[in-house]
Amino acid sequence: MQWQEKMQEIAARVRENDDFVVIHHYDADGCSSGAILYKALEREGKKVQKMWIKQLYKETIPEIKGKGKNYVFVDFGSGQLGYLKEEFGDNLYVFDHHQKTNVEHMNHFSPFDYGINGGNEISASGVAYLFAKTLNEKNIDLVPLALVGAVGDVQDFHGKLVGMNAEIVKEGKENGFIKVENDLRLYGRVTRPLTSFLMFSSSPVLPELTANEENCKKFLQELGIELKRGGVWRTYNDLSDEEKKKLTSALIVHLASHNVPEWKIKDLIGEVYSFPRENPKSPVSDAKEYSTLLNACGRHGHADIGVEVCMGDRAEKYMEAMSLMQEHRRQLRQGIEWVIQTGVDEKEQFYYFDSGERIKESIVGIVAGMLYGSGAIEDNKPIIAVAVNEDGSLKISGRATKDLLDKGINLGKAFKEICNELGEGNEGGGHAIAAGLKLETKNKEIFFEKLNEKFKQQTST
Ligand code: C5P
Ligand code: C5P
């Protein structure tokens, strides 16, 4: 069966039913995919409620059950299909892109069933978007959200979106919803004043510029680029095409003269996605900044605000989201500084750090991922972060690089296998490149031992 047929079949069952609860994940991909499905069902005239959760665990089910008649899980569910099926039977719908188990269900859509890699070719928001379009072609206006989720899940790690994501980009572009440019991929093109744009670059670190305000100012001034115009700080997006080219070339020369590896320099340039129907000064006009805005909401307890922004709020909720973003950036900076100061430990097969309660469990994975660009660790091994969940259990987040995936590393698979071996109370999974799990405190050392073994096996076959 082709994916389109499966979507049609699920859509037919959705049309026959009513009273839906959309349960979505709390990060950028979760908020955007939740908003897409909520809106699409509402447009079909369905009664629909929404609910976000931090992570789907077996013990979360009682909180969900009884809220409605039909349950739509998005951005999780593939890994938990066994118990979801038992709990919800035919009233279950799952739209996900995480790694699967061998359980099947008529309303479970997984891209992996159709040869589409859920790790880098489509995100949950992409799956939700394809479904929304299957329900009604008019839902094409939701296409920006499909990209926000994909970019939020760092699926553009090849320097651009690929596979089904690239098809979605093409559709969005042809219909005037998306602008695609080949440009500098540093974060903060729309909202960061130029000096901060360079100074806060962590991926990659810019030698002598990152964390050095004076040098950044000098660098820009020597290029003849004005930092302010009409009393207002200029951003990268405010620059003329000529100035953009000048800055980009100067950065390339700067990195090369500081012996930054060629692949890192190449990574600096790639596809960037923006949304011409939004205010060009707002973070929601740029896919990367939009996704950070949503992560700032969700990962700090306010995914509902993120969803309102996705559904079009540009007033009260949007302002709340903007202040959450300041706080999110502050916490990320503080987290990275703490890890760099304290240092990272290593086992044979991976780097690790235990932040205790210093870094929130909801952002510790992002901090771990940002360490690759920071110079604190090499790119030769995965990085594993430990934090503490609200219930006192441990939260483990893992991040890898695309090169490590090529060598056989699959974090989600390793985490899932170890959880199965450790039994109840330990639950997790995710993607090859980014995964997480909840672990009983007593299992920390055994987890590390098992993980070392799994990585050894994965890279030796
Ligand atoms: O649940 P989900 O698939 O949406 O989450 C994946 C998470 O992994 C994203 O929130 C993203 O921040 C993170 N990620 C990362 N680095 C990667 C890939 C994903 O930090 N290379
Ligand atoms: O929380 P974090 O950003 O590290 O999550 C990375 C990936 O691992 C996400 O895709 C998330 O859905 C998944 N994860 C999971 N089970 C957990 C924690 C995270 O499947 N207990």
Side-chain angles (χ1 to χ4, degrees):
M1 197 194 291
Q2 302 276 311
W3 67 263
Q4 291 92 336
E5 270 176 77
K6 174 82 176 186
M7 286 281 190
Q8 288 292 357
E9 283 185 15
I10 303 178
R13 285 190 281 273
V14 163
R15 288 193 191 101
E16 282 165 14
N17 282 293
D18 203 355
D19 194 1
F20 290 89
V21 187
V22 173
I23 306 109
H24 62 89
H25 200 204
Y26 73 154
D27 66 358
D29 191 30
C31 290
S32 44
S33 57
I36 291 174
L37 290 182
Y38 182 86
K39 204 143 201 176
L41 288 168
E42 204 184 42
R43 285 174 174 175
E44 293 299 297
K46 303 292 179 193
K47 178 178 174 217
V48 45
Q49 303 170 66
K50 54 186 174 342
M51 176 181 183
W52 67 268
I53 51 176
K54 219 174 210 193
Q55 193 57 50
L56 179 59
Y57 298 118
K58 205 169 179 181
E59 64 262 27
T60 333
I61 301 296
E63 273 175 54
I64 300 169
K65 217 172 170 179
K67 285 204 183 296
K69 186 160 180 278
N70 291 287
Y71 295 83
V72 185
F73 290 83
V74 62
D75 198 25
F76 35 44
S78 286
Q80 300 89 349
L81 201 58
Y83 62 76
L84 289 179
K85 190 172 167 176
E86 260 172 47
E87 292 287 347
F88 300 105
D90 289 355
N91 300 113
L92 173 70
Y93 297 82
V94 175
F95 297 96
D96 195 9
H97 69 131
H98 287 90
Q99 293 178 32
K100 302 175 51 188
T101 62
N102 50 15
V103 182
E104 304 289 336
H105 186 281
M106 62 178 179
N107 298 327
H108 170 224
F109 187 92
S110 167
F112 289 102
D113 287 336
Y114 306 95
I116 304 167
N117 185 341
N120 66 345
E121 293 179 328
I122 195 163
S123 65
S125 59
V127 172
Y129 168 73
L130 295 180
F131 181 69
K133 271 207 51 216
T134 309
L135 272 179
N136 192 331
E137 281 287 329
K138 284 193 183 139
N139 288 322
I140 190 166
D141 62 331
L142 304 175
V143 67
L145 294 177
L147 296 198
V148 170
V151 168
D153 268 10
V154 203
Q155 296 202 330
D156 57 345
F157 63 78
H158 298 284
K160 60 179 182 180
L161 290 169
V162 298
M164 187 59 86
N165 278 327
E167 300 286 316
I168 298 175
V169 169
K170 189 163 164 260
E171 184 168 274
K173 191 177 154 190
E174 282 168 4
N175 289 279
F177 291 100
I178 292 163
K179 186 172 164 197
V180 185
E181 284 163 291
N182 222 31
D183 206 344
L184 200 57
R185 291 172 80 229
L186 292 185
Y187 175 78
R189 303 155 41 84
V190 176
T191 60
R192 279 190 168 152
L194 282 169
T195 317
S196 312
F197 180 61
L198 299 183
M199 186 172 114
F200 291 124
S201 169
S202 58
S203 162
V205 158
L206 308 171
E208 292 177 16
L209 293 174
T210 298
N212 191 330
E213 191 173 358
E214 274 316 302
N215 281 0
C216 292
K217 271 192 195 152
K218 230 168 82 195
F219 186 80
L220 290 159
Q221 275 158 356
E222 278 170 11
L223 292 173
I225 295 177
E226 283 172 275
L227 300 181
K228 260 186 178 179
R229 205 167 262 181
V232 181
W233 295 108
R234 299 171 83 203
T235 65
Y236 180 77
N237 249 17
D238 293 331
L239 303 183
S240 66
D241 285 348
E242 198 187 319
E243 284 173 314
K244 282 182 179 169
K245 268 192 207 136
K246 203 194 280 179
L247 176 56
T248 306
S249 320
L251 280 174
I252 292 173
V253 171
H254 178 82
L255 292 186
S257 69
H258 285 81
N259 298 323
V260 172
E262 202 182 321
W263 68 266
K264 270 198 187 170
I265 301 179
K266 267 197 189 147
D267 262 9
L268 207 60
I269 312 291
E271 282 192 1
V272 293
Y273 309 100
S274 55
F275 307 129
R277 298 184 185 205
E278 298 285 352
N279 172 353
K281 299 263 178 214
S282 162
V284 296
S285 68
D286 175 88
K288 194 95 201 154
E289 293 210 42
Y290 198 155
S291 75
T292 303
L293 189 74
L294 298 182
N295 269 322
C297 296
R299 291 180 184 263
H300 298 275
H302 298 283
D304 50 322
I305 295 180
V307 172
E308 290 303 327
V309 172
C310 290
M311 304 222 299
D313 186 301
R314 297 291 178 267
E316 190 190 337
K317 300 291 175 190
Y318 172 78
M319 292 315 289
E320 286 178 45
M322 292 292 278
S323 51
L324 284 163
M325 187 157 76
Q326 297 304 327
E327 180 55 18
H328 180 57
R329 283 176 174 172
R330 194 188 62 76
Q331 289 192 21
L332 288 180
R333 253 200 319 272
Q334 220 174 36
I336 289 177
E337 276 165 18
W338 180 81
V339 181
I340 291 178
Q341 241 170 37
T342 316
V344 174
D345 288 317
E346 66 185 303
K347 300 269 181 200
E348 190 189 337
Q349 301 290 326
F350 58 88
Y351 296 104
Y352 71 98
F353 65 89
D354 187 342
S355 74
E357 292 187 1
R358 278 181 202 85
I359 304 179
K360 262 195 200 164
E361 56 82 19
S362 54
I363 60 162
V364 78
I366 301 184
V367 171
M370 288 169 89
L371 288 177
Y372 277 121
S374 76
I377 54 174
E378 300 287 317
D379 306 321
N380 58 338
K381 298 196 257 194
I383 167 97
I384 306 297
V386 184
V388 183
N389 283 317
E390 274 160 16
D391 65 3
S393 62
L394 296 182
K395 160 72 187 291
I396 310 281
S397 280
R399 297 290 188 269
T401 63
K402 61 175 189 267
D403 283 357
L404 290 167
L405 302 201
D406 293 341
K407 290 186 179 129
I409 290 289
N410 185 333
L411 298 179
K413 187 163 178 277
F415 282 16
K416 188 135 219 114
E417 284 171 5
I418 298 177
C419 287
N420 290 341
E421 289 164 25
L422 294 174
E424 197 122 332
N426 307 284
E427 202 176 327
H431 308 288
I433 201 163
L437 68 94
K438 175 176 162 170
L439 189 73
E440 288 178 303
T441 314
K442 63 171 197 236
N443 287 333
K444 186 176 148 186
E445 284 313 317
I446 181 141
F447 171 76
F448 276 4
E449 273 168 40
K450 281 177 180 285
L451 195 60
N452 213 38
E453 278 312 302
K454 294 276 176 207
F455 287 157
K456 224 186 259 179
Q457 283 164 14
Q458 289 183 348
T459 48
S460 70
T461 47

